[in-house]
Amino acid sequence: MAAAAAILPELATQVLIPVAAAVGIAFAVLQWVLVSKVKLTAERRGEGGAGAGGAGKSGPSDYLIEEEEGLNDHNVVSKCAEIQTAISEGATSFLFTEYKYVGLFMGIFAILIFLFLGSVEGFSTKSQPCHYSKDKTCKPALANAVFSTIAFVLGAVTSLVSGFLGMKIATYANARTTLEARKGVGKAFITAFRSGAVMGFLLAASGLLVLYIAINLFGIYYGDDWEGLFEAITGYGLGGSSMALFGRVGGGIYTKAADVGADLVGKVERNIPEDDPRNPAVIADNVGDNVGDIAGMGSDLFGSYAESSCAALVVASISSFGINHEFTPMVYPLLISSVGIIACLITTLFATDFFEIKAVNEIEPALKKQLIISTAVMTVGIALVSWLGLPYTFTIFNFGAQKTVQSWQLFLCVAVGLWAGLIIGFVTEYYTSNAYSPVQDVADSCRTGAATNVIFGLALGYKSVIIPIFAIAFSIFLSFSLAAMYGVAVAALGMLSTIATGLAIDAYGPISDNAGGIAEMAGMSHRIRERTDALDAAGNTTAAIGKGFAIGSAALVSLALFGAFVSRAAISTVDVLTPKVFIGLIVGAMLPYWFSAMTMKSVGSAALKMVEEVRRQFNTIPGLMEGTTKPDYATCVKISTDASIKEMIPPGALVMLTPLIVGILFGVETLSGVLAGALVSGVQIAISASNTGGAWDNAKKYIEAGASEHARALGPKGSDPHKAAVIGDTIGDPLKDTSGPSLNILIKLMAVESLVFAPFFATHGGILFKLF
C-alpha cells in the first residue's frame, strides 16, 4: 500500500517530543523558582505600619500589610514556618513508609510478570512467528517477558516519583500561600496556582519523556519487530496504575481518617473551628490533604496518561503505521501529549501573568477559564498534529480486519474526547459548586436535620451521573465508528491532553486548603482566613472537576485497553449470551461494590481510632481546651499512617489478583466479561460517589460562608442546620476522597493488567473449563 507519508519527517518527530518534554520541565522549574521568592523568614519592613490600613487589594506597593497583621509579623511568619515543617515531615514520613511496602509489592509483581510471560513459550529464546502476521518472525516470548518487566518497573518508579515531587512542592507552597494572603487574595492565588503548575508540568513532561526514552531504548533490541516492542511497552501503563492504586487508597484512607476524626470531635462535640490548633488531629488532617489529594491524584492521572498512550500504541503497531514502519504517525499519541504541554503552558500564563485577580469572586471564573482556554488552544494543536503527523489515508486494525481511516477522522476522535472532558468537568461543577441550585437545595434540606441532608445528597449524586454518561457514550460511539479501538484510545488521550492544566487546578485545591489551616493555626486574623477560605472553596469545586476528568478518561482508557486485550487474546466476539461471558459480566459489575465496601470500612475503622484518640486527649490533657498546652499531634499522625498502610493492602490485592485468578481459572472469555462488567458499574459508582461527597462538602461551606440571605438563614456555624451539614460532609468524605477516585483506577488497572498477561491467558488460561 503506497499511501502518502506524513508531512513531518522522522527526525523532526524525534526532536519535537523530547524538546516539548524539556520545555515542560523547564517551565515547572521556573514556576518553582517564582514561588520560592516568597520568604519564610521574617523580614524587617517599615511599610507595614499604620498607613496601610485599607489596602485589602494589592495597592501601589506589594508590601502593604494590614495594620493588624503588621504588629505580630515575625511571630506569625515563624509560626507558619514551624507548622509547614510539621506538615512536610508528616507527609514525607508517611510516603516513605508507604513506598517501602509498595516497593516490596512491586518486586514480587515484577517477578510474576516475568514468570508468567516467559512461560508462554516455555522460556525459549528462539524467534517466534508474529501473533498478528504469521508470515513474519518476531522476537521470542522471553524477550517480551524481560522488557515488559522493565517497562513495569519504569512506570511504577515514574509514578512514585511524580507523586512524591508533587507532595514536596505542595508542602513547600502551603505556608507561602498563607503569607501572601496578607497582601491580598490575588497574590495568594498566584502562589497556590503556580505551585500546582509545577506539579502539573513536571508530571506531564516526565511521563512523556520516560515513555519516549523507553520506546527508543527498547527499539535498539526489537529493531523491526514493532508488534513485540509496543506490546512490551504496555508494562509501563501497568506500573503507573498499580502504584496509583496504592497511592490513592492509602492516601485516601489516611486523609479521611484524620479529617473525620478532627471534624466529629472538634467541630461537632467541642464546637471549636476547623483547623483549630487545639485539635490533636489537625496536623494529620493537613498532612492527609497532601498525601491523598496531591500524591494520590498525581499518580492516578499519570497512570491514565501512561495507559491511554500504551493502548493507542499497541493498536497502532498492528495497523498500517506499524506494518509499514512509519515512525511519525506511529508516535501520534506522544505528539498529542507534546503539543498538550505547549498548549497548557500558554494557558497557565493567562492565570499567572496576563490577568490579575483582585477580588474573591474572580477566583472560580479564573480557574474555569483555564479549562476553556486550554481546551480551545489544544483543539488547534490537535488539528496541526493530525495534519502534519499523519498520512492522509491509512488503515487501523479492527478486530482482525484493517479499516481505512483518513487523518481528519482521527482529529475528530481526539477532539471529541477533549470536549467531552470539558462537558463532564462543567456538569460536575454544576452539581458540586455552591453557586448553583443543586448544592443550595442540599444545604436547604439541612433545616430538618442530617437525615434529609443525606437523602438529598445521595439523590444529587445519582442524578449527576446522567449527562457525563451520555457524553462518554457519545465519544465512544463517534470515535469507534470513525477509527475503531484506536479512535477510543486517542479520544481518551484527547481528554488527558490538557493534563498539565488539569493537575495544576487540582493541586491548587489542597494547597489552598492547607494555607487556610496554617492561617488558623498560626492565629492570623479573620480577614486572612476569609481569603484562604475563598481560595479553598474554589479549589473544592475544581477538585471535583478534576475527579470528573479522571473518571471520564478512565472509562475511555479501559475500553481501549479492553479492545486491545480482546484482540491480543484472539477472542473473535464477546458474546453476552454465552454462560462463560455472562457469569464474568455479573461478577465484574459486583467488584466495584466490593472494593468500595473495603475502602469505606477502612476509613470508618481508622476514623474510629482517631476519634477515640482525640477524645482521650481532650479529656486527659489539662489546659488543652484553654489553649495553654499543646496537643500530642504525633500520635494522631501515627494512627493515620498505621491504619492506611494496613488497610490499603486488601483492596489493592482484590484489584491486582482478580484478573490473574479469573484469567488462569476461567480463561479469556470470562475475563472479558469481568472487565466489561467492572467498567460499566464502576464508572457510575465513581461519578455518583465523588459528586455526592463534593456536594455535601460545599453545602457545609455554603452555610459557613453565609454569603446570601438564604445561607445566613441556615447559619451561623454551630447552628442545627450547620451541624446537620457537617454530618453530611463527614459521610461524604470517604465517598469523594477514597472510594470514588480509587474506582477509576480499579477499572483501568484490571484492563491493563489483563492486556499485559493476555499472551499467558490465551495460551494457558481457563484451567477449570478445560477440565470439564
Side-chain angles (χ1 to χ4, degrees), residues 90 208 237 366 398 401 418 433 443 486 571-572 660 672 691 703 755:
L208 174 65
N398 180 21
L418 179 67
S433 164
Y486 188 69
I571 308 169
S572 46
L660 291 178
S672 65
N691 291 352
I703 294 174
L755 174 60

Side-chain angles (χ1 to χ4, degrees), residues 277-595:
R278 293 170 293 180
N279 193 331
V282 70
I283 294 281
D285 185 5
N286 280 296
V287 169
D289 290 338
N290 292 298
V291 295
D293 297 351
I294 299 243
M297 186 70 184
S299 293
D300 177 5
L301 279 175
F302 167 76
S304 279
Y305 162 75
E307 279 159 341
S308 53
S309 304
C310 292
L313 290 167
V314 166
V315 181
S317 70
I318 48 179
S319 305
S320 65
F321 305 154
I323 296 164
N324 304 334
H325 295 99
E326 300 170 41
F327 184 77
T328 302
M330 182 66 222
V331 292
Y332 178 67
L334 276 71
L335 285 170
I336 295 175
S337 309
S338 310
V339 174
I341 291 175
I342 307 301
C344 292
L345 197 153
I346 297 165
T347 311
T348 304
L349 297 175
F350 278 94
T352 55
D353 296 272
F354 298 157
F355 299 107
E356 194 183 355
I357 288 182
K358 294 194 166 58
V360 165
N361 59 0
E362 292 171 17
I363 300 170
E364 209 165 300
L367 291 169
K368 283 200 311 216
K369 272 187 206 135
Q370 285 285 298
L371 291 173
I372 298 167
I373 295 168
S374 63
T375 305
V377 175
M378 192 58 206
T379 308
V380 180
I382 295 165
L384 263 173
V385 169
S386 306
W387 175 55
L388 293 172
L390 294 170
Y392 183 66
T393 52
F394 43 90
T395 62
I396 291 291
F397 182 84
N398 180 21
F399 299 119
Q402 290 281 351
K403 177 186 170 86
T404 305
V405 182
Q406 293 175 329
S407 55
W408 62 269
Q409 292 174 303
L410 222 46
F411 160 71
L412 277 181
C413 294
V414 185
V416 75
L418 179 67
W419 286 93
L422 189 69
I423 291 166
I424 292 172
F426 280 131
V427 170
T428 311
E429 192 229 1
Y430 173 72
Y431 281 106
T432 56
S433 164
N434 52 29
Y436 304 104
S437 59
V439 170
Q440 292 173 7
D441 291 347
V442 171
D444 191 61
S445 70
C446 294
R447 285 178 310 163
T448 46
T452 40
N453 179 24
V454 170
I455 294 167
F456 269 73
L458 287 172
L460 176 145
Y462 297 147
K463 196 175 165 193
S464 72
V465 174
I466 302 166
I467 300 172
I469 290 297
F470 277 120
I472 292 170
F474 176 73
S475 337
I476 290 171
F477 181 77
L478 186 74
S479 51
F480 194 93
S481 313
L482 291 174
M485 270 304 169
Y486 188 69
V488 178
V490 290
L493 257 180
M495 206 178 270
L496 290 164
S497 58
T498 51
I499 183 172
T501 297
L503 262 173
I505 292 173
D506 240 2
Y508 154 87
I511 292 170
S512 308
D513 191 352
N514 260 212
I518 291 174
E520 182 75 48
M521 286 186 271
M524 291 170 112
S525 73
H526 178 62
R527 283 165 65 180
I528 287 188
R529 183 69 218 223
E530 267 179 6
R531 284 176 200 159
T532 53
D533 274 354
L535 291 171
D536 181 25
N540 245 4
T541 306
T542 53
I545 294 176
K547 286 176 190 133
F549 264 97
I551 295 163
S553 62
L556 292 175
V557 171
S558 44
L559 182 63
L561 290 164
F562 176 67
F565 162 72
V566 170
S567 306
R568 183 63 186 85
I571 308 169
S572 46
T573 50
V574 178
D575 184 357
V576 183
L577 293 175
T578 53
K580 276 184 186 179
V581 176
F582 193 81
I583 57 166
L585 199 64
I586 200 160
V587 169
M590 171 276 296
L591 287 173
Y593 289 91
W594 189 0
F595 180 82

Side-chain angles (χ1 to χ4, degrees), residues 558-644:
S558 44
L559 182 63
L561 290 164
F562 176 67
F565 162 72
V566 170
S567 306
R568 183 63 186 85
I571 308 169
S572 46
T573 50
V574 178
D575 184 357
V576 183
L577 293 175
T578 53
K580 276 184 186 179
V581 176
F582 193 81
I583 57 166
L585 199 64
I586 200 160
V587 169
M590 171 276 296
L591 287 173
Y593 289 91
W594 189 0
F595 180 82
S596 300
M598 285 174 152
T599 48
M600 297 280 288
K601 182 109 189 298
S602 303
V603 172
S605 56
L608 203 70
K609 289 181 194 139
M610 186 65 79
V611 167
E612 283 166 355
E613 173 57 25
V614 175
R615 277 184 188 151
R616 183 194 69 75
Q617 293 201 23
F618 274 126
N619 293 334
T620 58
I621 298 177
L624 184 55
M625 268 309 272
E626 295 71 40
T628 50
T629 44
K630 266 189 169 177
D632 173 10
Y633 297 126
T635 308
C636 290
V637 172
K638 188 173 178 342
I639 287 176
S640 255
T641 304
D642 293 351
S644 56

